[in-house]
Amino acid sequence: MGIILCIFYDKVVSLHEDSETPVSNPLLAFTLIKRLQSDWRNVVHSLEASENIRALKDGYENVEQDLPAFEDLEGAARALMRLQDVYMLNVKGLARGVFQRVTGSAVTDLYNPRRLFSLTADDCFQVGKVAYDMGDYYHAIPWLEESVRLFRSHGKWNTEDEASLEDALDHLAFAYFQAGNVSCALSLSREFLLYSPDNKRMARNVLKYEKLLAESPTQAVVEAVIQRPNVPHLQTRDTYEGLCQTLGSQPTHYQIPSLHCSYETNSSPYLLLQPVRKEVIHLEPYVVLYHDFVSDLEAQKIRGLAEPWLQRSVVASGEKQLPVEYRISKSAWLKDTADPMLVTLDHRIAALTGLDVQPPYAEYLQVVNYGIGGHYEPHFDHATSPSSPLYRMKSGNRVATFMIYLSSVEAGGATAFIYANFSVPVVKNAALFWWNLHRSGEGDSDTLHAACPVLVGDKWVANKWIHEYGQEFRRPCSSSPGD
Ligand SMILES: O=C(O)CCC(=O)C(=O)O
Ligand SMILES: [Fe+2]
């Protein structure tokens, strides 16, 4: 193996040596994907590697098809930007490996990593470039700023790097120009010319920026405010993000007497022997958390059964099911026949809720795995249009959701109820239950909810969606719209 690859290999090994779990730190996850997607390729194609190039290339080509694709790197960069937005994380801090929310002069640590993984100038460049290529200068600027700062302070270019200080200056200058900040664009372009004085394009840009500033000198002082790119389908973004930022901890005014804990037996012989600790979290909509609904072993078993079948999650769009940016996770459906333990689980859900969960009155168990940055933006579980694929089961709408947390997370990943204005943290082995429909059969719009992005960790949940039919005598209907 060539010396360059050895150095590169040692660097990768030392970064990952003390992570005993699969990658749970978003910064480490991003750099791992980047190392496999672009750094390694850059080492292989570098001039220094030429003496050992054949062996090096053969080794790379053998595994190339199994390595992350550019699309994966892009996804990982977008996940970092999502975390930055939702948790108001500071890019400078992220590049140093810390997860800090900075609001005014207040700095809050959202997570304290055991070890700091800092990003390189080239890592930051790649994140900024993903945003830049999408015309998203709001995100491109801080990441490219950080890249320029790191290139300037370390100065050294590494074999595996895709970009140099000039590339970072070039992109940042143009991003500032696009965002309306001509004076920053000008000074960065001038700095670029110090390193590459013969670059004609940049010389023309400098002239253009000088001319613009001469024509309208106010441009020099006006700090352009760049708007964060809007997500049209998400009007409730501020509430959602605020609820995610609490990481599921409840404000004290929720500690009201009607919200209490009890041992639930629901008059079921099954539960009399082993009551379940129930915590009423909210009344309208009615949301309860059943603690220790499953054991560690059961949770592990369910994850293991689902793992081989996991696929990118989809959502109902008209009559079709499609992957979308607002739901990022993997999921699998488990039939009861997959393991007798799932039948036991159904019995336990039926005993607790008093509902019939046999097919077709409930769906199979949907197991969901969210990686870093994985999320599900505000949505309803029940169908809101008569053409929804949910009606294909011919057992009505989804009357209730029973969701089991099959893992803990290190940070983030809370379940947020937007209009009801509360969020529930991930409580390993607990199950969250709520009614999606009023007794009239009409959807309860107060159940709008979301899965906050996972900041650090690997989140698993399982959904059991219970349908209207079969529950007629278990949850009688009522014509009163409020019930
Ligand atoms: O994962 C969560 O916290 C919520 C998941 C959810 O709402 C869903 O899968 O429909
Ligand atoms: Fe949901």
Side-chain angles (χ1 to χ4, degrees):
M1 198 166 27
I3 185 81
I4 299 149
L5 194 56
C6 285
I7 298 168
F8 178 66
Y9 179 80
D10 289 346
K11 199 147 88 181
V12 175
V13 167
S14 86
L15 269 171
H16 300 281
E17 68 195 353
D18 65 11
S19 41
E20 65 286 340
T21 47
V23 192
S24 70
N25 183 317
L27 303 171
L28 185 59
F30 172 77
T31 51
L32 176 61
I33 291 175
K34 176 169 173 283
R35 277 192 184 90
L36 296 177
Q37 203 278 322
S38 83
D39 293 1
W40 190 358
R41 188 192 55 223
N42 293 338
V43 170
V44 167
H45 294 304
S46 72
L47 278 177
E48 292 99 312
S50 56
E51 353 81 78
N52 280 307
I53 200 70
R54 200 59 259 161
L56 206 59
K57 282 192 172 154
D58 285 350
Y60 178 73
E61 279 157 15
N62 276 342
V63 290
E64 196 177 359
Q65 68 277 17
D66 301 325
L67 296 176
F70 179 69
E71 180 194 13
D72 301 310
L73 181 70
E74 221 175 26
R78 279 224 275 270
L80 275 185
M81 293 184 254
R82 182 177 314 125
L83 295 175
Q84 172 199 339
D85 290 343
V86 173
Y87 295 104
M88 287 178 142
L89 298 173
N90 170 275
V91 171
K92 230 187 183 70
L94 278 178
R96 278 189 294 123
V98 298
F99 297 84
Q100 287 178 335
R101 187 170 75 225
V102 182
T103 35
S105 58
V107 179
T108 321
D109 276 313
L110 287 185
Y111 173 72
N112 282 312
R114 269 185 300 153
R115 191 179 147 190
L116 294 184
F117 294 105
S118 47
L119 300 178
T120 66
D122 189 59
D123 294 338
C124 295
F125 176 83
Q126 292 273 11
V127 180
K129 176 82 164 41
V130 166
Y132 179 98
D133 287 342
M134 296 188 306
D136 167 8
Y137 303 111
Y138 174 90
H139 288 107
I141 289 174
W143 284 99
L144 293 171
E145 277 280 11
E146 200 47 31
S147 171
V148 164
R149 202 184 63 75
L150 289 168
F151 271 128
R152 278 191 197 127
S153 61
H154 295 305
K156 199 164 104 336
W157 182 84
N158 300 305
T159 313
E160 69 269 25
D161 284 355
E162 184 106 349
S164 62
L165 174 58
E166 277 119 291
D167 294 317
L169 287 168
D170 188 359
H171 285 79
L172 183 57
F174 191 69
Y176 266 128
F177 170 67
Q178 288 287 28
N181 192 333
V182 182
S183 54
C184 276
L186 176 60
S187 61
L188 291 159
S189 305
R190 282 183 178 146
E191 185 180 344
F192 178 100
L193 284 180
L194 294 179
Y195 302 106
S196 297
D198 300 332
N199 190 304
K200 300 252 173 2
R201 176 176 58 86
M202 197 55 87
R204 276 196 304 274
N205 284 353
V206 165
L207 287 177
K208 178 170 94 180
Y209 300 152
E210 282 170 347
K211 191 160 165 254
L212 277 171
L213 284 173
E215 281 165 4
S216 118
T218 47
Q219 297 241 27
V221 280
V222 174
E223 258 290 308
V225 181
I226 321 158
Q227 292 297 316
R228 179 170 144 195
N230 231 336
V231 190
H233 58 265
L234 187 59
Q235 282 101 33
T236 46
R237 194 167 72 180
D238 291 347
T239 320
Y240 163 56
E241 293 179 356
L243 289 168
C244 290
Q245 285 160 22
T246 67
L247 303 177
S249 65
Q250 301 306 322
T252 43
H253 69 262
Y254 281 111
Q255 291 160 5
I256 50 176
S258 52
L259 305 179
H260 59 272
C261 298
S262 59
Y263 280 101
E264 180 69 277
T265 58
N266 205 18
S267 318
S268 145
Y270 185 91
L271 294 173
L272 278 173
L273 293 173
Q274 200 180 1
V276 174
R277 282 185 302 133
K278 163 172 138 179
E279 181 182 346
V280 179
I281 298 210
H282 204 266
L283 292 177
E284 283 182 23
Y286 184 70
V287 180
V288 292
L289 188 68
Y290 295 110
H291 289 267
D292 293 312
F293 175 76
V294 289
S295 66
D296 280 338
L297 264 176
E298 285 171 324
Q300 189 185 2
K301 174 117 196 206
I302 301 169
R303 297 196 310 255
L305 286 169
E307 186 125 43
W309 307 103
L310 289 176
Q311 287 197 343
R312 170 81 197 260
S313 299
V314 289
V315 297
S317 160
E319 289 175 29
K320 290 204 220 105
Q321 308 259 20
L322 296 173
V324 286
E325 189 66 20
Y326 66 84
R327 185 185 191 191
I328 306 276
S329 61
K330 288 182 167 187
S331 49
W333 295 95
L334 288 185
K335 287 188 190 176
D336 280 0
T337 46
D339 193 276
M341 195 262 285
L342 299 174
V343 179
T344 319
L345 205 70
D346 276 351
H347 289 157
R348 211 179 296 157
I349 300 175
L352 262 182
T353 59
L355 299 174
D356 191 339
V357 298
Q358 295 297 308
Y361 302 133
E363 296 170 44
Y364 300 137
L365 192 69
Q366 186 192 52
V367 181
V368 188
N369 177 215
Y370 301 88
I372 291 154
H375 71 153
Y376 194 171
E377 286 181 7
H379 66 278
F380 295 112
D381 284 356
H382 59 274
T384 49
S385 129
S387 61
S388 164
L390 291 182
Y391 289 114
R392 274 190 218 141
M393 284 176 70
K394 305 214 178 310
S395 51
N397 207 342
R398 285 175 174 166
V399 69
T401 297
F402 195 94
M403 187 185 82
I404 313 164
Y405 294 110
L406 298 174
S407 72
S408 50
V409 289
E410 272 119 307
T415 308
F417 286 77
I418 315 303
Y419 296 138
N421 196 27
F422 68 94
S423 57
V424 184
V426 174
V427 180
K428 182 166 196 266
N429 299 340
L432 198 64
F433 172 87
W434 70 90
W435 297 107
N436 293 306
L437 307 181
H438 290 294
R439 282 182 190 268
S440 63
E442 198 197 321
D444 181 348
S445 55
D446 289 338
T447 62
L448 188 76
H449 64 280
C452 295
V454 173
L455 181 54
V456 185
D458 183 30
K459 175 182 166 188
W460 290 79
V461 301
N463 288 305
K464 185 61 126 180
W465 281 300
I466 306 165
H467 282 232
E468 286 174 282
Y469 297 1
Q471 325 304 343
E472 293 83 352
F473 299 104
R474 299 165 192 266
R475 192 202 190 210
C477 16
S478 144
S479 55
S480 156
D483 282 358

